[in-house]
Amino acid sequence: MIRRVLPHGMGRGLLTRRPGTRRGGFSLDWDGKVSEIKKKIKSILPGRSCDLLQDTSHLPPEHSDVVIVGGGVLGLSVAYWLKKLESRRGAIRVLVVERDHTYSQASTGLSVGGICQQFSLPENIQLSLFSASFLRNINEYLAVVDAPPLDLRFNPSGYLLLASEKDAAAMESNVKVQRWEGAKVSLMSPDQLRNKFPWINTEGVALASYGMEDEGWFDPWCLLQGLRRKVQSLGVLFCQGEVTRFVSSSQRMLTTDDKAVVLKRIHEVHVKMDRSLEYQPVECAIVINAAGAWSAQIAALAGVGEGPPGTLQGTKLPVEPRKRYVYVWHCPQGPGLETPLVADTSGAYFRREGLGSNYLGGRSPTEQEEPDPANLEVDHDFFQDKVWPHLALRVPAFETLKVQSAWAGYYDYNTFDQNGVVGPHPLVVNMYFATGFSGHGLQQAPGIGRAVAEMVLKGRFQTIDLSPFLFTRFYLGEKIQENNII
């Protein structure tokens, strides 16, 4: 086709004899010719830029067995475990689509990096116990040949949760569950609390729980980059772009009680390329929705929630972005190097940051105080009015603190019960979820990725039964409330 529109003589000089070639042999001499060819083709086809030598390396492949929407730590963990558990090397082709390759607004990089086992639900405790083991042995999982080992800079200072009189019984009950699951947690009276942490004012504290092992904080950016480096070494493909459409087929079915439902299967994902109007269709067998705070939008593109209210088909994914502030302050007279992450009875929290008398913390707002998630601007008045008074009451030395910096990040907040959504959608049969963790997704990512991979490859959860986290609970109204969300 191209030869028909090329004028006579255009090819002259394209094929040239080079020294050292056999007589009559020709080789392509591209030097100095590429731009000339482009200019001539453009002049022949006016009104349109024609680039026969266009670089397509930024485009996703036309086919992928699994497309993961979201390249944060949860999406990368799913990719890792899919490749780790595949039957043979290269058996599964995995593509990760991430719209922000800088991760500037990703929840992972803006997290405070905490890990603890002091949850109220057994599933959350089991997930965090596995994550602690994963992080402790990080280089056994994520080592890459000829690459330096990962240093997560884990600080094992523990979590210290404080309870008022009205919450003391619930804390005691939670600790029993935590110990039963294998977590090392101690209960402390106000006197014991003062003896161990003399800088704490125990006014209003009836009981405290303290994690003695595998709790603290680590570098979330290091985990993110370590997972990305590892999955790339395993053959996972990456694409910077935004998923804008799914192409699906539908099949009408009758349930056992003769109710009609429509089953959908996604066949193609449309990826809009970064800073471009072009999109690339990708044929696939499985879609993983790990889009974090924006996962409800991705679900809606697949038709999730498009049905009469009160029906399974009309049940939406109840995940939305919630903005959370993190403040960093300096206080030379502060608690010091042995400071754990402290969660106050008021909901305020803080921990040590580095070795220079710096601390970071914040507080989750009430429903009435929820800020606009349209941007990541920081409300400094929120610290002055809603955080600092509680900090200064609990740690008198914090009365003289000086705020140095602050940032905001997003929770993928599950408005139904603040717990994750894991596993397949019941009607969009090849869309799987790994989202909605409401602030504890980072620390549970290793276990969540493994669970989703098990469900995709084996059809069931094998190591930790996360059936309570399935999507169907939203339709059935079966909340599994987690009480210890910081």
Side-chain angles (χ1 to χ4, degrees):
M1 293 294 293
I2 294 298
R3 291 188 63 183
R4 292 180 183 176
V5 298
L6 295 182
H8 178 71
M10 180 176 170
R12 189 179 302 151
L14 182 60
L15 296 177
T16 61
R17 219 180 246 127
R18 284 185 175 173
T21 60
R22 293 183 301 171
R23 181 175 178 81
F26 290 87
S27 62
L28 287 175
D29 180 11
W30 292 104
D31 297 337
K33 301 298 181 183
V34 172
S35 65
E36 179 184 347
I37 295 169
K38 289 181 178 180
K39 288 178 182 177
K40 289 187 177 181
I41 293 175
K42 288 178 182 178
S43 67
I44 296 164
L45 302 174
R48 180 175 181 184
S49 174
C50 179
D51 190 349
L52 297 181
L53 304 173
Q54 184 176 6
D55 177 18
T56 60
S57 62
H58 67 293
L59 296 176
E62 295 182 354
H63 309 274
S64 184
D65 298 309
V66 180
V67 174
I68 299 175
V69 185
V73 71
L74 278 164
L76 294 177
S77 179
V78 175
Y80 168 77
W81 285 105
L82 283 171
K83 299 302 289 182
K84 181 84 170 175
L85 300 177
E86 64 184 348
S87 58
R88 67 182 189 281
R89 182 72 184 264
I92 305 172
R93 193 177 206 190
V94 179
L95 170 68
V96 176
V97 180
E98 170 57 47
R99 64 180 181 180
D100 178 18
H101 72 284
T102 68
Y103 294 99
S104 60
Q105 295 191 356
S107 299
T108 301
L110 299 172
S111 165
V112 300
I115 179 170
C116 79
Q117 290 84 49
Q118 296 184 61
F119 291 101
S120 60
L121 290 176
E123 293 82 4
N124 283 331
I125 300 166
Q126 292 169 29
L127 284 169
S128 289
L129 282 169
F130 173 71
S131 291
S133 173
F134 185 94
L135 298 177
R136 191 168 52 244
N137 301 288
I138 190 73
N139 285 296
E140 294 182 18
Y141 288 101
L142 302 185
V144 174
V145 176
D146 296 330
L150 297 172
D151 180 10
L152 292 176
R153 294 185 288 176
F154 179 65
N155 191 307
S157 294
Y159 269 49
L160 178 65
L161 276 55
L162 309 180
S164 63
E165 189 68 45
K166 72 179 182 66
D167 295 324
M171 173 176 279
E172 197 166 357
S173 176
N174 290 342
V175 169
K176 287 181 181 179
V177 177
Q178 293 154 16
R179 289 173 175 171
W180 176 262
E181 297 297 337
K184 303 293 191 295
V185 182
S186 68
L187 285 171
M188 304 172 71
S189 68
D191 287 341
Q192 291 171 319
L193 192 58
R194 278 190 298 267
N195 288 335
K196 186 167 183 61
F197 304 109
W199 39 265
I200 278 189
N201 171 19
T202 58
E203 178 185 342
V205 176
L207 194 63
S209 61
Y210 179 53
M212 299 182 294
E213 188 177 296
D214 292 334
E215 290 194 348
W217 53 91
F218 61 95
D219 182 355
W221 183 254
C222 181
L223 177 61
L224 176 74
Q225 293 301 319
L227 277 166
R228 187 179 173 99
R229 184 182 74 178
K230 180 63 177 181
V231 299
Q232 283 180 309
S233 75
L234 295 174
V236 171
L237 304 174
F238 283 82
C239 169
Q240 182 183 353
E242 183 176 359
V243 172
T244 58
R245 184 186 176 212
F246 295 109
V247 177
S248 309
S249 62
S250 300
Q251 182 179 7
R252 197 172 186 85
M253 303 281 289
L254 289 178
T255 64
T256 53
D257 52 355
D258 290 331
K259 291 183 179 179
V261 295
V262 176
L263 301 182
K264 290 187 175 183
R265 179 175 293 275
I266 298 169
H267 299 284
E268 196 172 86
V269 179
H270 286 193
V271 181
K272 179 180 175 295
M273 307 315 299
D274 184 49
R275 297 174 185 169
S276 171
L277 295 178
E278 68 175 324
Y279 75 89
Q280 176 74 25
V282 182
E283 293 182 3
C284 64
I286 299 289
V287 173
I288 309 294
N289 186 344
W294 296 272
S295 54
Q297 298 174 21
I298 299 300
L301 289 176
V304 173
E306 291 182 357
T311 66
L312 181 57
Q313 195 169 340
T315 302
K316 300 179 185 297
L317 178 66
V319 176
E320 65 183 30
R322 293 281 181 100
K323 186 163 71 172
R324 296 293 180 261
Y325 307 121
V326 180
Y327 305 90
V328 179
W329 62 88
H330 183 67
C331 185
Q333 292 78 39
L337 294 179
E338 295 186 3
T339 308
L341 191 151
V342 179
D344 188 43
T345 57
S346 63
Y349 72 91
F350 67 91
R351 68 163 172 83
R352 177 173 58 79
E353 172 69 353
L355 303 176
S357 299
N358 293 323
Y359 303 85
L360 65 74
R363 174 178 162 266
S364 290
T366 63
E367 285 291 330
Q368 294 72 31
E369 297 167 345
E370 281 290 347
D372 183 0
N375 58 61
L376 287 178
E377 294 178 0
V378 175
D379 182 356
H380 292 277
D381 290 337
F382 186 79
F383 182 83
Q384 297 291 328
D385 300 336
K386 305 295 183 180
V387 182
W388 190 15
H390 298 295
L391 295 175
L393 175 64
R394 189 60 58 213
V395 183
F398 281 160
E399 290 180 3
T400 60
L401 66 79
K402 294 187 184 304
V403 176
Q404 292 187 321
S405 62
W407 71 83
Y410 289 117
Y411 275 9
D412 53 338
Y413 194 83
N414 177 354
T415 59
F416 184 74
D417 59 13
Q418 292 78 64
N419 274 299
V421 191
V422 184
H425 188 271
L427 298 180
V428 185
V429 294
N430 61 337
M431 174 173 274
Y432 292 73
F433 297 105
T435 187
F437 292 90
S438 309
H440 51 276
L442 170 68
Q443 65 170 292
Q444 296 183 345
I448 295 299
R450 184 178 64 175
V452 173
E454 289 171 351
M455 183 62 80
V456 169
L457 299 176
K458 307 296 183 182
R460 62 186 180 89
F461 298 122
Q462 291 186 306
T463 48
I464 300 176
D465 183 7
L466 298 183
S467 299
F469 291 174
L470 289 169
F471 181 95
T472 48
R473 74 184 192 271
F474 305 135
Y475 166 65
L476 298 173
E478 296 176 350
K479 291 187 177 184
I480 48 167
Q481 197 71 41
E482 173 55 60
N483 299 321
N484 288 352
I485 297 292
I486 298 176

